[in-house]
Amino acid sequence: QVHLVQSGPEVKKPGASVKVSCKASGYTFRTFGINWVRQAPGQGLEWMGWISAYNGNTNYAQKVQGRVTVTTDTSTSTAYMELRSLTSDDTAVYYCARGDWGTEIDFWGQGTLVTVSS
Amino acid sequence: SSELTQDPAVSVALGQTVRITCQGDSLRSYYASWYQQKPGQAPVLVIYGNNNRPSGIPDRFSGSRSGDTASLTITGAQAEDEADFYCYSRDMSGTHCVFGTGTKVTVL
């Protein structure tokens, strides 16, 4: 059974950084990539980026390029998403989700609420 | 703004059929997948590769594509199908991924 378990909620001040973790289980971690998707309150889904757990290749959405870094630790089957220079517009639920590059996303984490507030 | 456009909301009578569309030029070249999201929950994959259903998804969900438009059809809608639905594919350049704008389905 595939599971993606994310770290807990975060409250950050504007200008700070946040790092969300996503621990995978139930499959061979290196055989699939991990997407990061966010959803602002009352809004739709927004794709942020993707990383290959096999070779570390990444691809980021233009909107967050330069502020986001996605990494993996294959020894612990964990993916990480770090977002810097936070503003109130970054307040959202952040999801990690399994998928090969440019194809369907078949399993999702439970989501992590990141609140940016002064 | 998203390169994949969906109608904001549709309604369907219980047991009837509803079709949700997703329009974008990139759909001529790349597969679409569809996700159902209920309030407070993570999305769930319901269709991949334009018209394939994952195991465990009821067969009342089906997908298709014609030209630049992908469609998700619910045949015999149930009360539990009430949710937001999103399409997903690559953008026109093929170098990034994008979600559709989302459609809220109400079952009357």
Side-chain angles (χ1 to χ4, degrees), chain A residues 35 37 39 43-47 59-62 65 95 100-106 108-111, chain B residues 31 33 35 37 40-45 47-49 86 88-90 94-101:
Chain A
N35 292 273
V37 177
Q39 187 170 37
Q43 302 301 307
L45 301 173
E46 178 185 11
W47 179 80
N59 190 303
Y60 300 122
Q62 289 182 332
Q65 177 88 42
Y95 294 100
D100 289 329
W101 163 242
T103 65
E104 70 274 6
I105 295 172
D106 58 359
W108 297 68
Q110 84 276 19
Chain B
Y31 287 127
S33 51
Y35 303 84
Q37 186 181 34
Q41 298 182 19
V44 173
L45 176 68
I47 292 290
Y48 67 95
Y86 297 90
Y88 172 75
S89 186
R90 300 194 201 184
T95 58
H96 300 290
C97 294
V98 62
F99 284 95
T101 51

Side-chain angles (χ1 to χ4, degrees), chain A residues 11-86:
Chain A
V11 179
K12 296 292 183 181
K13 294 192 181 302
S17 298
V18 68
K19 192 169 186 177
V20 178
S21 67
C22 169
K23 183 170 178 58
S25 62
Y27 71 99
T28 302
F29 183 66
R30 295 187 65 171
T31 58
F32 289 89
I34 295 288
N35 292 273
W36 287 90
V37 177
R38 70 180 178 179
Q39 187 170 37
Q43 302 301 307
L45 301 173
E46 178 185 11
W47 179 80
M48 297 179 65
W50 173 88
I51 184 167
S52 166
Y54 175 72
N55 59 18
N57 285 349
T58 56
N59 190 303
Y60 300 122
Q62 289 182 332
K63 185 175 180 181
V64 293
Q65 177 88 42
R67 289 201 300 133
V68 67
T69 302
V70 174
T71 56
T72 58
D73 181 345
T74 55
S75 69
T76 60
S77 298
T78 303
Y80 299 91
M81 186 282 300
E82 181 180 33
L83 188 61
R84 301 174 292 278
S85 301
L86 294 168

Side-chain angles (χ1 to χ4, degrees), chain B residues 31-32 34 45-54 57 61-64:
Chain B
Y31 287 127
W34 290 90
L45 176 68
V46 294
I47 292 290
Y48 67 95
N50 288 340
N51 56 12
N52 299 285
R53 198 171 49 250
I57 300 301
F61 292 92
S62 63
S64 63

